[in-house]
Amino acid sequence: MQLQPGLYRHYKGPQYRVFGVARHSESEEEVVVYQALYGEFGLWVRPLSMFCEEIEVDGRRVPRFALIQAEVSPIGGSEV
């Protein structure tokens, strides 16, 4: 599964910048590395499968995170 680096909106409204996909050193699970664009601007990781999944909100399926604007990854390449 590929994920485009860039600006994303969480289904609850806040925006995040996705830097890319990394691998967990023990399990080799793919995780998304991203930063909150509010508050303390914390760095986060979340399993790729969870980041890309759809969830149910008010009886309809919506993406957990929706791409707002694609960007070139600061850690190399346009897609990770």
Side-chain angles (χ1 to χ4, degrees):
M1 180 182 304
Q2 291 190 336
L3 182 71
Q4 179 68 48
L7 298 177
Y8 283 77
R9 183 180 321 279
H10 188 266
Y11 76 96
K12 292 181 181 176
Q15 292 186 15
Y16 297 85
R17 172 162 283 119
V18 168
F19 295 109
V21 176
R23 265 190 208 283
H24 188 285
S25 63
E26 298 297 318
S27 67
E28 294 195 17
E29 178 182 23
E30 292 181 307
V31 294
V32 178
V33 180
Y34 62 106
Q35 180 178 30
L37 297 179
Y38 62 90
E40 295 182 18
F41 293 82
L43 289 175
W44 298 88
V45 296
R46 180 184 295 256
L48 177 61
S49 60
M50 186 180 209
F51 190 94
C52 295
E53 73 184 352
E54 288 190 343
I55 58 170
E56 190 170 320
V57 177
D58 297 328
R60 63 184 189 108
R61 305 287 295 170
V62 297
R64 183 180 297 275
F65 290 89
L67 180 64
I68 299 170
Q69 180 180 343
E71 297 177 340
V72 174
S73 173
I75 54 177
S78 60
E79 285 191 16
V80 178

